[in-house]
Amino acid sequence: MTSEWQELIQKKRAARDALIPQEWRLPTTITSKVSPESTYSAFDLLKEAALLTDRENDITENNTATSLTAKIASGELSSYDVAAAFCKRAALVHQLTNSLTEIFFDKALERARWLDEYFAKEGKTVGPFHGLPITLKDMVHIKGEHSTMGFVGHLKYPAADEHAVIAEMLEAAGAVFYCKTNVPQTLFVCESFNNVFGRTLNPYKLCLSPGGSSSGEAAQIGLRGSIMGVGSDIAGSVRVPALFTGVYGFRPTVNRLPWAKQADLASKGWQGVQPTLGPIAHTAQDLTLFMKTVIQAQPWRYDSTALAVPWHDAPREEKLTIGVWSQDPEFPVYPPIARCIASAVDKLRAAGHTIKVIEAPPTMKAMKIAMRWFALDQVNLPFKFLEDGGEQPIADLAAMDPGQFLDPGYVPDLHENIRISADIHDYRDEWAKIWRDADLDVLLCPASRGSAVPHGEFGPLMYTILWNLLDFPSSVVPFGKVNKIVDSKDGYDASVVDGAPTGFQLVGWRFQDEQTLMATEVIADALKA
Amino acid sequence: MTSEWQELIQKKRAARDALIPQEWRLPTTITSKVSPESTYSAFDLLKEAALLTDRENDITENNTATSLTAKIASGELSSYDVAAAFCKRAALVHQLTNSLTEIFFDKALERARWLDEYFAKEGKTVGPFHGLPITLKDMVHIKGEHSTMGFVGHLKYPAADEHAVIAEMLEAAGAVFYCKTNVPQTLFVCESFNNVFGRTLNPYKLCLSPGGSSSGEAAQIGLRGSIMGVGSDIAGSVRVPALFTGVYGFRPTVNRLPWAKQADLASKGWQGVQPTLGPIAHTAQDLTLFMKTVIQAQPWRYDSTALAVPWHDAPREEKLTIGVWSQDPEFPVYPPIARCIASAVDKLRAAGHTIKVIEAPPTMKAMKIAMRWFALDQVNLPFKFLEDGGEQPIADLAAMDPGQFLDPGYVPDLHENIRISADIHDYRDEWAKIWRDADLDVLLCPASRGSAVPHGEFGPLMYTILWNLLDFPSSVVPFGKVNKIVDSKDGYDASVVDGAPTGFQLVGWRFQDEQTLMATEVIADALKA
């Protein structure tokens, strides 16, 4: 990288950090403990700093998106106080986890004030998200802000001249935007480092990864600098970060949420595994709230790729048939996840749900098909972006080389698209047979082999990419924490990840987003009981 | 073609015709008037033959699928009498139009008897289609019957060993199957001839085409040998035949109806413009009944490609905003269609609907993209099937050569799929702008340049294939007839098509099948008023 680029990077970081008010800055006694090697917990450091008032702590810690919007709509809380509390907490969480890319607290406070005035004058909210602070992954364009996504070459790009459709829709529903969040280089690895903004840290233990590519979202939401955020997922990028930071995440069926007008990441017309946006939040109810609010506002009216499939409430079923696929023997889960799933299944069985043990096709089958599809993109826009900025791929990305999953000498021909599609058809039919034979409401399975890992050690996404390939809606439910005493066994040393959150994935059939979210709520409630 | 094939063809036709009971055979005084050159109307010939009793005429002529199922469910009619009347009438219509490929009246009557017994014993119907006779395009597999689809090589294929999913589902709802219907060679032209079964004729005038590829369906339904049928549409194959025979047809959004387990027609995994099944019937209400009945039975439980998008009733709106796109200047409609649309628009405006005139992008844009996509199928299964039987493409098919729509020297490369997809994206965005700017409920436009044409004279499907490319649901509404006196003008001679039905197309946004059908009902009612 040239010194000109180095200079632009330093300028960008300095400009971002200058947007944090002096009185919200952490003392060096705290910041000196922050590094990617640190074993400190950002939860502890935030408490130690003691910069948040009791009221700010109460607003940010003792709420969900559902309760916050209700309190604002009833007049119990003002939009301004809520926005101010989250701006301040996000600034503190950022200093502990390096999770923000763009900061626009001033706009947020101005908008919150306007919302309060509207509410006072009109006696009603502008929409279901009136006053709700929402964080956005860096690719979501916000008018007047940058969408660098960690690409050095993008530092020369102008600010966005309009909102992404999702941002337009959330804003129309009343949301308050205050910052955007960090991603890994190219967004194609489950890590959190890029050359522009550096590395985002896991609030539970700074030496651990928050996962990726919705890394900054997960770090902020994990430590409640955000109550709800918008991530994106093409292979696990909403779900793995949610798992690693102990929060809820949801990957909907593709095109139920609007994708249009975001920063480009793939060749236009890209036909392979499709990305989708997805919410990250603190409860299953909040995931549903997000999906319902956006879909009821009819995204297809604003984005021609969004599907005109209306929201339909899935009636709550207190007794579910839950398939349990505890692991792929080729990629066995580590003891903390095995214990988490076994314990969840015990509780669900005790709560009266029907548990059916599922034998699944090998995950490698899905990975190989997905990688053949990715290999068909001869343009590879993210790598072109790297070249534009004189960047080398980071080690994590180089290790993700799709070539490792392809047959030796693989060269796609003109018929390969049809062949891939036929292979997906057969693979989906295998799953259809499983679903039908067991008459499943939902499938419970790992979201990853383990909990959050040390930075740079993630590896391939064996438990999430298959649902992208099949386009099955899937959520992540946090449940329990790693315990180094009980989880260190069978040669696995759990001490480095001690205290990291654990959880699992819930998967529904394609387009059954409503049912999948309903099952997520029911299961989350059963586990809390 | 070898003499061995010629012999198999003769055997096949003879076997089929032997299944028509002696007492249902038309005298030679009638059949001598039947030929592809004949200007007779099959309506007149059927009346002249006078083989149907008053009761049989009443059952087959004075009903819709909706009224028939209601009468059977109330005990007013027996399933047996209904099945017997339609078997007989279908046999007569077949002798006038050569529209059937497989005949299994015996199975139909046996099933109808069983349905009556069930009804008598249980006091209820087996489902919404209890006792409803439904015809099926030849590609829909019926256990124990053949799906030759006019391919000579298929004469050596065994009978189907199971139902197509759509047939399973219709049967589960109570339907009675009694025959399958003819198609043009390869199903890829809007004509009605193949080497196995010969040419299907238009009941309004035998020298006219019933359109294609759901040719036999249209002929049978047009002359009420069938009350409701299942066609398929990849470029207009439900809609054009419906238009040409004066009935209603609907092309739903792809994968809302189940496609699985039909006779193969495309390479497995085919990624281009997708085909879908669609109903053909006598009223708009019947189209809705078909779609609602199948989707409420959850096709995704039986076919992993069917989308789990539940049926939702679209509340009837008495005042619609109707976009009117009266023609593409590059492919102007003929006077009968121009008059039909102008007259429909006048009535709709008078009924209080808001009419907005639409300027559309050239249809050639859609045709060119679609043909690039078809050209990507290097296997071309239908042509392989022709080779298998030693067949040459018929003239109509040779004339349909996709190459005529491709740029000179066009050779697709590995990136072509992505390029096509990007082009469709842009094209859909053009339509999205039109839809939004005019805030359309539905678009009214031609389904074809003219009414039914003489055999072999159809040409490319300029007004239907665009909706397949965009995957927009679209129905055909019959309205009026060609009048050689008023329609012969501007150099157009309407005398050859005098009396042929006219009509138009109604188009909704992708996935808004329910709304499109609701608008079709409202508009059809307004035109009948």
Side-chain angles (χ1 to χ4, degrees):
Chain A
M1 226 181 301
T2 63
S3 61
E4 188 204 348
W5 286 124
Q6 299 286 7
E7 211 171 292
L8 282 175
I9 291 170
Q10 292 318 317
K11 257 177 77 177
K12 178 74 188 170
R13 292 188 188 187
R16 173 193 61 179
D17 295 339
L19 290 164
I20 298 175
Q22 204 60 47
E23 60 277 21
W24 295 356
R25 304 233 177 141
L26 292 172
T28 51
T29 50
I30 302 285
T31 54
S32 63
K33 293 171 181 164
V34 173
S35 83
E37 294 78 35
S38 167
T39 56
Y40 277 103
S41 146
F43 287 83
D44 294 342
L45 297 177
L46 184 66
K47 206 166 284 171
E48 189 184 331
L51 285 176
L52 292 164
T53 64
D54 287 351
R55 184 142 193 275
E56 287 161 351
N57 269 323
D58 185 49
I59 288 173
T60 53
E61 287 183 2
N62 301 325
N63 277 296
T64 63
T66 305
S67 72
L68 265 186
T69 48
K71 286 174 188 173
I72 296 170
S74 72
E76 186 184 333
L77 287 175
S78 72
S79 296
Y80 187 89
D81 285 355
V82 170
F86 276 100
C87 287
K88 182 171 173 186
R89 188 167 180 128
L92 299 175
V93 173
H94 168 62
Q95 294 170 74
L96 296 167
T97 60
N98 188 38
S99 40
L100 301 186
T101 56
E102 304 292 323
I103 290 173
F104 32 96
F105 299 150
D106 49 347
K107 288 184 191 170
L109 296 173
E110 191 184 330
R111 168 147 168 92
R113 211 183 290 280
W114 178 86
L115 287 165
D116 285 335
E117 283 165 14
Y118 179 97
F119 185 73
K121 201 170 133 194
E122 306 287 337
K124 62 177 186 183
T125 62
V126 302
F129 283 162
H130 188 103
L132 186 71
I134 294 182
T135 42
L136 304 163
K137 193 171 174 177
D138 203 33
M139 64 209 289
V140 180
H141 278 323
I142 292 291
K143 187 177 175 180
E145 304 296 331
H146 289 82
S147 303
T148 317
M149 300 183 292
F151 288 113
V152 172
H154 280 38
L155 287 169
K156 292 188 178 171
Y157 282 24
D161 56 7
E162 57 181 346
H163 279 16
V165 170
I166 187 72
E168 274 175 45
M169 294 190 71
L170 293 173
E171 198 163 75
V176 175
F177 303 131
Y178 57 121
C179 55
K180 297 209 295 176
T181 59
N182 203 21
V183 295
Q185 192 191 54
T186 73
L187 287 75
F188 203 70
V189 282
C190 195
E191 294 289 343
S192 66
F193 177 82
N194 66 66
N195 287 317
V196 175
F197 298 109
R199 190 179 293 283
T200 298
L201 313 180
N202 189 317
Y204 280 87
K205 207 181 229 178
L206 302 179
C207 62
L208 298 181
S209 170
S213 63
S214 306
S215 320
E217 283 302 318
Q220 280 289 340
I221 299 169
L223 191 39
R224 289 186 165 269
S226 168
I227 198 79
M228 180 182 265
V230 180
S232 71
D233 193 315
I234 197 172
S237 283
V238 157
R239 291 161 290 162
V240 175
L243 172 72
F244 282 12
T245 59
V247 295
Y248 291 78
F250 182 59
R251 188 212 82 92
T253 302
V254 166
N255 289 331
R256 291 211 69 187
L257 294 180
W259 184 259
K261 297 192 194 168
Q262 295 187 87
D264 288 331
L265 267 167
S267 302
K268 186 173 176 184
W270 163 239
Q271 276 289 282
V273 181
Q274 297 290 307
T276 171
L277 296 173
I280 305 178
H282 292 279
T283 64
Q285 280 77 6
D286 281 0
L287 299 178
T288 305
L289 175 70
F290 183 95
M291 293 299 297
K292 181 172 178 163
T293 301
V294 176
I295 294 176
Q296 284 191 333
Q298 308 190 331
W300 52 91
R301 295 177 65 93
Y302 313 100
D303 173 356
S304 74
T305 62
L307 302 178
V309 176
W311 179 266
H312 57 96
D313 285 313
R316 191 174 166 104
E317 294 174 32
E318 293 302 339
K319 302 293 171 210
L320 299 168
T321 300
I322 304 170
V324 174
W325 171 40
S326 50
Q327 67 178 354
D328 177 347
E330 198 180 342
F331 298 93
V333 297
Y334 302 128
I337 298 296
R339 184 171 60 82
C340 162
I341 290 180
S343 155
V345 168
D346 283 348
K347 281 198 98 163
L348 294 169
R349 194 182 277 116
H353 298 290
T354 302
I355 303 295
K356 297 200 178 172
V357 174
I358 298 301
E359 301 268 334
T363 56
M364 186 51 97
K365 193 174 222 169
M367 179 61 87
K368 283 185 169 179
I369 300 174
M371 289 302 146
R372 279 161 62 203
W373 226 358
F374 281 116
L376 274 184
D377 181 4
Q378 310 275 296
V379 172
N380 204 335
L381 207 56
F383 276 77
K384 214 190 127 294
F385 290 154
L386 292 188
E387 278 171 34
D388 289 349
E391 295 184 82
Q392 294 300 313
I394 58 175
D396 313 315
L397 185 63
M400 258 304 287
D401 169 34
Q404 67 183 293
F405 299 104
L406 302 175
D407 291 337
Y410 171 80
V411 179
D413 63 17
L414 212 51
H415 201 70
E416 179 65 350
N417 244 304
I418 291 178
R419 227 178 275 119
I420 289 171
S421 166
D423 289 347
I424 293 172
H425 184 283
D426 288 343
Y427 178 60
R428 195 171 49 225
D429 266 355
E430 285 188 71
W431 276 105
K433 188 170 163 15
I434 291 170
W435 233 263
R436 266 172 232 152
D437 289 354
D439 197 18
L440 297 187
D441 288 313
V442 72
L443 178 76
L444 188 159
C445 64
S448 173
R449 299 182 69 182
S451 63
V453 290
H455 296 290
E457 294 188 9
F458 184 71
L461 291 138
M462 300 311 302
Y463 286 101
T464 44
I465 199 169
L466 70 165
W467 309 122
N468 299 82
L469 187 79
L470 292 166
D471 196 14
F472 283 13
S474 34
S475 60
V476 156
V477 175
F479 183 57
K481 301 267 183 322
V482 177
N483 178 325
K484 66 180 171 188
I485 296 169
V486 296
D487 292 327
S488 292
K489 61 179 184 183
D490 306 332
Y492 180 78
D493 177 7
S495 54
V496 67
V497 297
D498 187 47
T502 51
F504 53 83
Q505 200 173 189
L506 292 173
V507 182
W509 193 261
R510 193 162 52 136
F511 278 99
Q512 295 197 324
D513 302 273
E514 289 86 344
Q515 291 87 333
T516 308
L517 288 166
M518 178 274 290
T520 305
E521 292 187 32
V522 169
I523 288 171
D525 289 348
L527 296 181
K528 280 174 191 160
Chain B
M1 226 180 302
T2 63
S3 61
E4 189 204 350
W5 286 125
Q6 300 285 6
E7 211 172 292
L8 283 174
I9 291 170
Q10 292 317 317
K11 258 178 75 176
K12 178 73 188 171
R13 292 188 188 187
R16 173 194 60 180
D17 295 339
L19 290 164
I20 298 176
Q22 204 60 47
E23 61 277 21
W24 295 356
R25 303 232 177 143
L26 292 172
T28 51
T29 51
I30 302 284
T31 54
S32 62
K33 293 172 181 163
V34 173
S35 82
E37 295 77 35
S38 167
T39 56
Y40 278 104
S41 145
F43 288 82
D44 295 341
L45 296 177
L46 184 66
K47 206 167 284 172
E48 188 184 332
L51 284 176
L52 291 164
T53 64
D54 286 351
R55 182 140 196 277
E56 287 161 350
N57 268 324
D58 185 49
I59 288 173
T60 54
E61 287 182 2
N62 301 326
N63 277 298
T64 62
T66 304
S67 72
L68 264 186
T69 47
K71 287 174 187 172
I72 295 171
S74 73
E76 186 184 333
L77 286 175
S78 72
S79 296
Y80 187 88
D81 285 355
V82 170
F86 276 99
C87 287
K88 182 170 173 187
R89 189 168 180 127
L92 299 175
V93 173
H94 167 64
Q95 294 170 76
L96 296 167
T97 59
N98 188 38
S99 40
L100 302 186
T101 56
E102 304 292 324
I103 289 174
F104 31 96
F105 299 150
D106 48 347
K107 287 185 192 171
L109 296 173
E110 191 184 329
R111 169 150 168 90
R113 211 182 289 280
W114 178 85
L115 286 165
D116 285 335
E117 282 165 14
Y118 179 95
F119 184 72
K121 201 170 133 196
E122 306 287 337
K124 60 176 187 185
T125 61
V126 304
F129 283 160
H130 187 104
L132 186 72
I134 294 183
T135 42
L136 304 163
K137 193 171 175 176
D138 203 33
M139 65 209 288
V140 180
H141 278 322
I142 291 292
K143 187 177 176 179
E145 303 297 331
H146 289 83
S147 303
T148 317
M149 299 184 292
F151 288 113
V152 172
H154 279 39
L155 287 169
K156 293 190 178 169
Y157 282 25
D161 56 6
E162 56 180 348
H163 279 16
V165 170
I166 187 71
E168 274 175 45
M169 293 190 71
L170 293 173
E171 199 164 73
V176 174
F177 303 131
Y178 57 121
C179 55
K180 296 210 294 176
T181 59
N182 203 21
V183 294
Q185 193 191 55
T186 73
L187 287 74
F188 203 70
V189 281
C190 195
E191 294 289 345
S192 66
F193 177 81
N194 65 66
N195 286 318
V196 176
F197 300 108
R199 189 179 293 282
T200 298
L201 313 179
N202 189 317
Y204 280 86
K205 205 181 232 179
L206 302 179
C207 62
L208 299 182
S209 171
S213 63
S214 307
S215 320
E217 283 303 317
Q220 280 289 341
I221 299 169
L223 192 38
R224 289 186 165 269
S226 168
I227 197 79
M228 180 181 265
V230 179
S232 70
D233 193 316
I234 197 172
S237 284
V238 157
R239 291 161 291 162
V240 175
L243 172 72
F244 282 12
T245 59
V247 295
Y248 291 78
F250 182 59
R251 189 212 81 91
T253 303
V254 166
N255 289 330
R256 292 209 68 186
L257 295 179
W259 184 259
K261 297 191 194 169
Q262 295 187 89
D264 287 330
L265 268 166
S267 302
K268 185 172 176 183
W270 162 241
Q271 276 289 283
V273 181
Q274 297 291 307
T276 170
L277 297 174
I280 305 177
H282 293 279
T283 64
Q285 280 77 6
D286 281 1
L287 299 178
T288 305
L289 175 70
F290 182 95
M291 292 300 296
K292 180 172 177 161
T293 300
V294 175
I295 294 176
Q296 285 191 334
Q298 308 191 330
W300 52 92
R301 296 177 64 93
Y302 313 101
D303 174 356
S304 73
T305 63
L307 301 179
V309 176
W311 178 267
H312 58 96
D313 286 312
R316 192 173 165 106
E317 293 173 32
E318 294 301 340
K319 302 293 172 210
L320 299 168
T321 300
I322 304 170
V324 174
W325 171 41
S326 50
Q327 68 178 353
D328 177 348
E330 198 179 343
F331 299 92
V333 297
Y334 302 127
I337 297 294
R339 183 172 60 82
C340 162
I341 290 180
S343 155
V345 168
D346 283 349
K347 282 199 98 163
L348 294 169
R349 194 182 277 116
H353 298 289
T354 302
I355 303 295
K356 298 201 176 170
V357 174
I358 299 301
E359 301 267 337
T363 57
M364 187 50 97
K365 193 174 222 170
M367 180 60 88
K368 283 185 171 179
I369 299 174
M371 289 302 148
R372 279 161 62 203
W373 225 356
F374 282 116
L376 273 184
D377 181 5
Q378 309 276 297
V379 173
N380 204 337
L381 207 56
F383 277 77
K384 214 191 128 291
F385 290 154
L386 292 187
E387 279 173 34
D388 290 349
E391 295 184 83
Q392 294 300 315
I394 58 174
D396 313 314
L397 185 63
M400 258 303 289
D401 169 33
Q404 68 183 293
F405 299 105
L406 301 175
D407 290 337
Y410 172 80
V411 179
D413 62 17
L414 211 53
H415 201 70
E416 180 64 350
N417 243 306
I418 291 178
R419 225 178 277 117
I420 289 170
S421 165
D423 289 348
I424 293 172
H425 185 283
D426 288 344
Y427 179 60
R428 195 171 50 221
D429 266 355
E430 285 188 71
W431 276 105
K433 187 169 166 13
I434 291 169
W435 234 262
R436 265 172 234 152
D437 289 354
D439 197 19
L440 296 188
D441 289 313
V442 73
L443 178 76
L444 189 158
C445 65
S448 174
R449 300 182 70 181
S451 65
V453 289
H455 297 289
E457 294 188 9
F458 184 72
L461 291 139
M462 300 311 302
Y463 285 102
T464 45
I465 198 169
L466 70 164
W467 308 122
N468 299 83
L469 186 79
L470 292 166
D471 196 15
F472 283 14
S474 34
S475 59
V476 156
V477 175
F479 182 58
K481 301 262 183 324
V482 178
N483 178 325
K484 66 180 171 190
I485 298 168
V486 296
D487 291 327
S488 291
K489 61 178 184 183
D490 307 332
Y492 179 79
D493 177 7
S495 55
V496 66
V497 298
D498 186 46
T502 51
F504 52 83
Q505 201 173 189
L506 291 174
V507 182
W509 192 260
R510 193 161 53 136
F511 278 100
Q512 296 197 324
D513 303 273
E514 289 86 345
Q515 290 88 334
T516 308
L517 288 166
M518 178 275 290
T520 305
E521 293 187 31
V522 169
I523 288 171
D525 290 348
L527 296 181
K528 280 174 193 161

